[in-house]
Amino acid sequence: MTHMVGKFIVIEGLEGAGKTTAINTVKQTLNNHHIEDIVFTREPGGTTIAEALRDLIKNPPNGESLTDKAELLMFYAARIQLIETVIKPALKAGKWIVGDRHDLSTQAYQGGGRQLDADFMRILKEQVLADFKPDLTLYLDIDPEIGLMRASRRGALDRIEQESLTFFNRIRERYLQLAAEDPTIITIDAMQPVNEVKAQITQVLTEWLLHNSA
Ligand code: T5A
């Protein structure tokens, strides 16, 4: 089977949802379908400038407090840099992209979590991204208490991970709401044992490939 047209697949979810495992499963499934030319991205990040922005966002220097709007604009600066210099050229060259987070994170974290003004967010998104969006998003749904427990086993929590449970519950609620409204977002139950999560991702992606790869 030959796949000439690249697609953009994104993995989303709260901290500790298991995005790393999911990305490996997506890679394996794509390889099983003879899709080998894959570019992996993460957001914020994926270019030198975007990685520098990631460091600034996660751990602001000298403990300076980052305003919610500055944070939002930094995510978009990193995203558009990645889209224009990495994602679009790769798609044009027929490669597949597997992204660790994309704009749905902004809608959930800055829109739901930080409760930034909906009109401001909508206009910003339209101006920066226009109609660019992933072909498929797999949203790994997890109770934030479980996700944060998993994430904390890895080491010290960063600035965002130290937010309250209420903040993460708002993010989860927004993720679920947006997933329900958009057929290109598929929700995966990330609270299952890891092998079941992998099996569900493999099944969902295999079905999607049957209908969407050209
Ligand atoms: N952000 C990002 C915004 O606010 N707005 C935005 O627009 C964007 C793009 C990015 C931060 O920035 C925020 C969100 C984030 O706070 P990040 O490092 O990309 O930071 O994202 P994190 O969510 O912090 O990454 P994590 O590494 O915490 O999450 P993962 O990748 O989902 O977690 P993972 O795969 O490492 O798994 C965590 C642990 O759980 C285990 C794994 O083995 C691992 O130890 N695990 C399971 N355990 C039991 N059962 C399962 N099913 C398991 N699956 C995994």
Short mmCIF file of all heavy atoms in Angstrom, two decimals, residues 130-162:
data_model
loop_
_atom_site.label_atom_id
_atom_site.label_comp_id
_atom_site.label_asym_id
_atom_site.label_seq_id
_atom_site.Cartn_x
_atom_site.Cartn_y
_atom_site.Cartn_z
N ALA A 130 -5.67 30.12 11.15
CA ALA A 130 -6.67 30.08 10.06
C ALA A 130 -7.35 28.70 10.09
O ALA A 130 -7.82 28.30 11.15
CB ALA A 130 -6.03 30.39 8.74
N ASP A 131 -7.35 27.96 8.99
CA ASP A 131 -8.08 26.69 9.02
C ASP A 131 -7.15 25.49 9.19
O ASP A 131 -7.55 24.35 8.98
CB ASP A 131 -8.94 26.53 7.75
CG ASP A 131 -8.11 26.63 6.48
OD1 ASP A 131 -6.87 26.80 6.60
OD2 ASP A 131 -8.69 26.54 5.39
N PHE A 132 -5.90 25.74 9.62
CA PHE A 132 -4.98 24.62 9.82
C PHE A 132 -5.37 23.83 11.07
O PHE A 132 -5.52 24.38 12.15
CB PHE A 132 -3.53 25.12 9.96
CG PHE A 132 -2.54 24.00 10.09
CD1 PHE A 132 -2.09 23.33 8.97
CD2 PHE A 132 -2.10 23.58 11.34
CE1 PHE A 132 -1.20 22.25 9.07
CE2 PHE A 132 -1.22 22.51 11.46
CZ PHE A 132 -0.77 21.86 10.33
N LYS A 133 -5.56 22.51 10.91
CA LYS A 133 -5.87 21.68 12.08
C LYS A 133 -5.43 20.24 11.82
O LYS A 133 -5.23 19.84 10.66
CB LYS A 133 -7.36 21.75 12.44
CG LYS A 133 -8.31 21.16 11.41
CD LYS A 133 -9.76 21.23 11.89
CE LYS A 133 -10.05 20.24 13.01
NZ LYS A 133 -11.42 19.74 13.06
N PRO A 134 -5.29 19.45 12.89
CA PRO A 134 -4.89 18.05 12.70
C PRO A 134 -5.96 17.27 11.94
O PRO A 134 -7.15 17.60 11.99
CB PRO A 134 -4.76 17.51 14.13
CG PRO A 134 -4.71 18.71 15.01
CD PRO A 134 -5.44 19.80 14.31
N ASP A 135 -5.53 16.19 11.25
CA ASP A 135 -6.49 15.31 10.59
C ASP A 135 -7.19 14.43 11.63
O ASP A 135 -8.35 14.09 11.47
CB ASP A 135 -5.76 14.42 9.56
CG ASP A 135 -5.17 15.26 8.45
OD1 ASP A 135 -5.95 15.79 7.65
OD2 ASP A 135 -3.93 15.43 8.41
N LEU A 136 -6.44 14.07 12.65
CA LEU A 136 -7.00 13.21 13.71
C LEU A 136 -6.35 13.58 15.04
O LEU A 136 -5.14 13.79 15.10
CB LEU A 136 -6.69 11.72 13.39
CG LEU A 136 -7.04 10.71 14.49
CD1 LEU A 136 -8.57 10.58 14.64
CD2 LEU A 136 -6.44 9.33 14.19
N THR A 137 -7.18 13.65 16.08
CA THR A 137 -6.64 13.85 17.43
C THR A 137 -7.13 12.71 18.31
O THR A 137 -8.34 12.40 18.31
CB THR A 137 -7.12 15.20 18.02
OG1 THR A 137 -6.65 16.27 17.19
CG2 THR A 137 -6.60 15.40 19.44
N LEU A 138 -6.20 12.09 19.03
CA LEU A 138 -6.58 11.07 20.02
C LEU A 138 -6.45 11.74 21.38
O LEU A 138 -5.35 12.09 21.81
CB LEU A 138 -5.66 9.85 19.93
CG LEU A 138 -5.65 9.12 18.58
CD1 LEU A 138 -4.64 7.99 18.57
CD2 LEU A 138 -7.05 8.59 18.25
N TYR A 139 -7.60 11.93 22.04
CA TYR A 139 -7.59 12.57 23.35
C TYR A 139 -7.62 11.49 24.43
O TYR A 139 -8.57 10.70 24.52
CB TYR A 139 -8.80 13.52 23.50
CG TYR A 139 -9.09 13.86 24.95
CD1 TYR A 139 -8.11 14.45 25.75
CD2 TYR A 139 -10.32 13.53 25.53
CE1 TYR A 139 -8.36 14.71 27.09
CE2 TYR A 139 -10.57 13.80 26.87
CZ TYR A 139 -9.58 14.39 27.64
OH TYR A 139 -9.81 14.63 28.98
N LEU A 140 -6.55 11.43 25.24
CA LEU A 140 -6.45 10.43 26.31
C LEU A 140 -7.11 11.00 27.56
O LEU A 140 -6.57 11.90 28.20
CB LEU A 140 -4.97 10.12 26.59
CG LEU A 140 -4.12 9.67 25.42
CD1 LEU A 140 -2.67 9.48 25.85
CD2 LEU A 140 -4.66 8.37 24.82
N ASP A 141 -8.27 10.48 27.87
CA ASP A 141 -9.04 11.05 28.98
C ASP A 141 -8.64 10.40 30.31
O ASP A 141 -8.64 9.18 30.44
CB ASP A 141 -10.54 10.83 28.73
CG ASP A 141 -11.37 11.41 29.85
OD1 ASP A 141 -11.16 12.61 30.17
OD2 ASP A 141 -12.19 10.68 30.44
N ILE A 142 -8.30 11.25 31.27
CA ILE A 142 -7.91 10.73 32.59
C ILE A 142 -8.39 11.67 33.69
O ILE A 142 -8.43 12.89 33.51
CB ILE A 142 -6.37 10.55 32.67
CG1 ILE A 142 -5.98 9.71 33.89
CG2 ILE A 142 -5.62 11.87 32.66
CD1 ILE A 142 -4.58 9.16 33.84
N ASP A 143 -8.76 11.08 34.83
CA ASP A 143 -9.07 11.86 36.03
C ASP A 143 -7.76 12.53 36.45
O ASP A 143 -6.74 11.86 36.61
CB ASP A 143 -9.56 10.89 37.11
CG ASP A 143 -9.96 11.60 38.39
OD1 ASP A 143 -9.26 12.58 38.77
OD2 ASP A 143 -10.92 11.17 39.03
N PRO A 144 -7.78 13.89 36.63
CA PRO A 144 -6.52 14.58 36.94
C PRO A 144 -5.82 14.04 38.19
O PRO A 144 -4.59 14.05 38.25
CB PRO A 144 -6.94 16.03 37.16
CG PRO A 144 -8.36 16.15 36.79
CD PRO A 144 -8.91 14.80 36.44
N GLU A 145 -6.58 13.55 39.16
CA GLU A 145 -5.93 13.02 40.37
C GLU A 145 -5.01 11.86 40.02
O GLU A 145 -3.90 11.73 40.54
CB GLU A 145 -6.98 12.56 41.38
CG GLU A 145 -7.17 13.59 42.47
CD GLU A 145 -8.13 13.14 43.55
OE1 GLU A 145 -9.36 13.07 43.26
OE2 GLU A 145 -7.67 12.85 44.66
N ILE A 146 -5.50 10.98 39.12
CA ILE A 146 -4.69 9.82 38.70
C ILE A 146 -3.51 10.29 37.84
O ILE A 146 -2.38 9.86 38.04
CB ILE A 146 -5.57 8.80 37.91
CG1 ILE A 146 -6.73 8.33 38.77
CG2 ILE A 146 -4.73 7.62 37.42
CD1 ILE A 146 -7.73 7.45 38.04
N GLY A 147 -3.78 11.20 36.91
CA GLY A 147 -2.73 11.68 36.01
C GLY A 147 -1.61 12.37 36.78
O GLY A 147 -0.43 12.11 36.53
N LEU A 148 -1.98 13.23 37.74
CA LEU A 148 -0.95 13.97 38.47
C LEU A 148 -0.15 13.04 39.37
O LEU A 148 1.05 13.24 39.59
CB LEU A 148 -1.60 15.10 39.29
CG LEU A 148 -2.13 16.26 38.45
CD1 LEU A 148 -2.98 17.20 39.29
CD2 LEU A 148 -0.98 17.03 37.79
N MET A 149 -0.82 11.99 39.87
CA MET A 149 -0.10 11.00 40.69
C MET A 149 0.97 10.31 39.83
O MET A 149 2.11 10.16 40.24
CB MET A 149 -1.10 9.98 41.25
CG MET A 149 -0.60 9.28 42.51
SD MET A 149 -1.69 7.94 42.95
CE MET A 149 -3.25 8.78 43.13
N ARG A 150 0.56 9.93 38.60
CA ARG A 150 1.52 9.29 37.69
C ARG A 150 2.67 10.26 37.38
O ARG A 150 3.84 9.88 37.39
CB ARG A 150 0.85 8.91 36.37
CG ARG A 150 -0.06 7.71 36.45
CD ARG A 150 -0.56 7.45 35.03
NE ARG A 150 -1.69 6.56 34.97
CZ ARG A 150 -2.42 6.37 33.87
NH1 ARG A 150 -2.13 7.02 32.77
NH2 ARG A 150 -3.42 5.53 33.86
N ALA A 151 2.31 11.52 37.07
CA ALA A 151 3.33 12.51 36.67
C ALA A 151 4.29 12.79 37.82
O ALA A 151 5.49 12.96 37.60
CB ALA A 151 2.65 13.80 36.21
N SER A 152 3.78 12.80 39.07
CA SER A 152 4.63 13.16 40.20
C SER A 152 5.66 12.06 40.50
O SER A 152 6.71 12.34 41.06
CB SER A 152 3.79 13.45 41.45
OG SER A 152 3.16 12.26 41.86
N ARG A 153 5.36 10.82 40.06
CA ARG A 153 6.33 9.73 40.27
C ARG A 153 7.60 9.96 39.45
O ARG A 153 8.64 9.41 39.74
CB ARG A 153 5.71 8.37 39.88
CG ARG A 153 4.72 7.88 40.92
CD ARG A 153 4.40 6.40 40.72
NE ARG A 153 3.07 6.12 41.26
CZ ARG A 153 2.04 5.73 40.56
NH1 ARG A 153 2.17 5.50 39.27
NH2 ARG A 153 0.86 5.53 41.13
N ARG A 154 7.49 10.79 38.40
CA ARG A 154 8.61 11.03 37.51
C ARG A 154 9.60 12.04 38.09
O ARG A 154 10.71 12.17 37.64
CB ARG A 154 8.07 11.66 36.22
CG ARG A 154 8.04 10.74 35.05
CD ARG A 154 7.57 11.55 33.89
NE ARG A 154 7.04 12.84 34.33
CZ ARG A 154 6.00 13.44 33.79
NH1 ARG A 154 5.40 12.91 32.78
NH2 ARG A 154 5.57 14.60 34.25
N GLY A 155 9.17 12.84 39.07
CA GLY A 155 10.06 13.85 39.65
C GLY A 155 9.31 15.12 39.97
O GLY A 155 8.08 15.11 40.06
N ALA A 156 10.07 16.22 40.12
CA ALA A 156 9.48 17.49 40.53
C ALA A 156 8.46 17.98 39.50
O ALA A 156 8.65 17.81 38.29
CB ALA A 156 10.58 18.53 40.69
N LEU A 157 7.38 18.57 39.99
CA LEU A 157 6.33 19.08 39.09
C LEU A 157 6.72 20.48 38.61
O LEU A 157 7.26 21.27 39.38
CB LEU A 157 4.99 19.13 39.83
CG LEU A 157 4.44 17.77 40.32
CD1 LEU A 157 3.14 17.95 41.10
CD2 LEU A 157 4.22 16.81 39.15
N ASP A 158 6.42 20.80 37.33
CA ASP A 158 6.75 22.13 36.83
C ASP A 158 5.66 23.14 37.21
O ASP A 158 4.70 22.80 37.90
CB ASP A 158 7.03 22.11 35.31
CG ASP A 158 5.79 21.74 34.50
OD1 ASP A 158 4.67 22.08 34.91
OD2 ASP A 158 5.95 21.11 33.42
N ARG A 159 5.81 24.39 36.71
CA ARG A 159 4.90 25.48 37.11
C ARG A 159 3.44 25.12 36.85
O ARG A 159 2.58 25.32 37.72
CB ARG A 159 5.29 26.75 36.32
CG ARG A 159 4.49 27.99 36.67
CD ARG A 159 4.93 29.17 35.82
NE ARG A 159 4.64 28.96 34.41
CZ ARG A 159 3.48 29.29 33.82
NH1 ARG A 159 2.53 29.87 34.51
NH2 ARG A 159 3.30 29.07 32.53
N ILE A 160 3.13 24.58 35.67
CA ILE A 160 1.73 24.28 35.35
C ILE A 160 1.23 23.08 36.15
O ILE A 160 0.11 23.08 36.66
CB ILE A 160 1.56 24.08 33.82
CG1 ILE A 160 1.93 25.37 33.08
CG2 ILE A 160 0.13 23.66 33.47
CD1 ILE A 160 1.90 25.28 31.56
N GLU A 161 2.11 22.08 36.30
CA GLU A 161 1.70 20.87 37.04
C GLU A 161 1.39 21.16 38.51
O GLU A 161 0.74 20.35 39.17
CB GLU A 161 2.81 19.81 36.93
CG GLU A 161 2.91 19.20 35.54
CD GLU A 161 4.19 18.41 35.29
OE1 GLU A 161 5.15 18.57 36.07
OE2 GLU A 161 4.23 17.65 34.31
N GLN A 162 1.87 22.31 39.02
CA GLN A 162 1.61 22.64 40.43
C GLN A 162 0.27 23.34 40.64
O GLN A 162 -0.08 23.71 41.76
CB GLN A 162 2.75 23.53 40.95
CG GLN A 162 4.04 22.76 41.13
CD GLN A 162 5.23 23.67 41.40
OE1 GLN A 162 5.06 24.79 41.88
NE2 GLN A 162 6.41 23.21 41.06
#
